[in-house]
Amino acid sequence: MSAKETQSYTGFHGHQLFAAGDLPEVALKAKSLLEQDANAPVAIYDNATGRIVDIDYRGTAEDVIARIAARSEDGPKPKAGPGRPKLGVVSREVTLLPRHWDWLRAQPGGASVALRKLVEAARRDNVDKDRSRLALEAVYRFMSTVAGDFPGFEEACRAFFAKDYETFDDMISLWPDDIQDYIRHQTEKALEMEKQAEAQD
């Protein structure tokens, strides 16, 4: 499998990879397979999360693309309520100990401003670690969905979380070629992110 960094979605027909790229591109190839066989075991995965993407394949190719575009544009919107929804500020419940609230109230701008600054600082300082962690979680999520009944699945998962990648590689070598190639590629990307994060510590 020769995946590029720009490819965000991957389509599988059963255990065989049939497309990788942006969502409309992969969805149209999936639609073509489903037009040949309505019961084809087709699934599209979001590489960033490892989750299956739900696509409505009804109608023409243009209909499918239009629905994908509309979903991207709609996205989640802030709910109206306390705070400043026009600025994207959303109110949520936060549970802290009394000493934490005392400290926050004593900060310039109050608790909300202090919390926002703390969150932004944590996001900035941990962005590479978070990307690596999420990427590894995505690999596990994909494996759980696709390979749960494959030989050596539990052993592969234990090795994966123990970071025993030699054993992990041995275990998944028993799996269908496209599945193991995809898992290896996504794992390598996650480990590269992890190395970058460690280099910046």
Side-chain angles (χ1 to χ4, degrees):
M1 179 181 64
S2 58
K4 298 178 182 177
E5 292 302 318
T6 55
Q7 294 174 334
S8 302
Y9 298 86
T10 304
F12 281 89
H13 179 276
H15 300 153
Q16 185 174 4
L17 188 152
F18 67 83
D22 62 26
L23 186 54
E25 175 189 356
V26 179
L28 289 184
K29 290 182 180 178
K31 178 175 173 59
S32 177
L33 289 171
L34 290 167
E35 286 172 348
Q36 297 171 43
D37 177 5
N39 297 315
V42 170
I44 297 176
Y45 293 87
D46 182 339
N47 293 344
T49 65
R51 291 190 172 93
I52 292 177
V53 182
D54 185 26
I55 302 291
D56 184 347
Y57 294 104
R58 294 173 300 169
T60 65
E62 289 74 17
D63 293 334
V64 174
I65 297 302
R67 282 192 291 269
I68 291 172
R71 180 171 59 184
S72 299
E73 291 170 2
D74 289 343
K77 301 227 175 9
K79 296 179 181 178
R84 295 168 145 185
K86 288 184 179 179
L87 300 178
V89 178
V90 180
S91 176
R92 293 283 189 272
E93 180 179 348
V94 176
T95 304
L96 298 172
L97 293 172
R99 66 176 180 273
H100 299 149
W101 284 116
D102 291 341
W103 183 86
L104 286 169
R105 278 193 292 268
Q107 302 309 302
S112 294
V113 171
L115 280 172
R116 285 198 290 271
K117 287 181 178 178
L118 287 170
V119 170
E120 289 300 327
R123 287 183 63 213
R124 185 175 58 249
D125 294 344
N126 295 289
V127 61
D128 290 323
K129 289 181 181 177
D130 288 342
R131 285 176 64 233
S132 171
R133 175 179 55 79
L134 292 172
L136 288 170
E137 287 176 3
V139 173
Y140 173 69
R141 194 173 290 118
F142 174 84
M143 284 197 302
S144 298
T145 303
V146 173
D149 59 353
F150 285 179
F153 172 75
E154 292 184 3
E155 293 87 346
C157 287
R158 282 196 290 270
F160 182 77
F161 287 111
K163 298 189 175 184
D164 178 1
Y165 295 113
E166 183 175 348
T167 300
F168 174 69
D169 197 65
D170 287 342
M171 291 295 102
I172 69 171
S173 67
L174 303 172
W175 300 355
D177 289 344
D178 283 358
I179 298 294
Q180 58 175 293
D181 287 349
Y182 176 83
I183 290 172
R184 285 195 183 97
H185 179 260
Q186 295 302 108
T187 302
E188 286 169 5
K189 282 170 57 179
L191 293 178
E192 184 59 35
M193 293 177 196
E194 188 173 73
K195 287 180 183 177
Q196 292 173 4
E198 290 172 353
Q200 292 179 3
D201 283 347

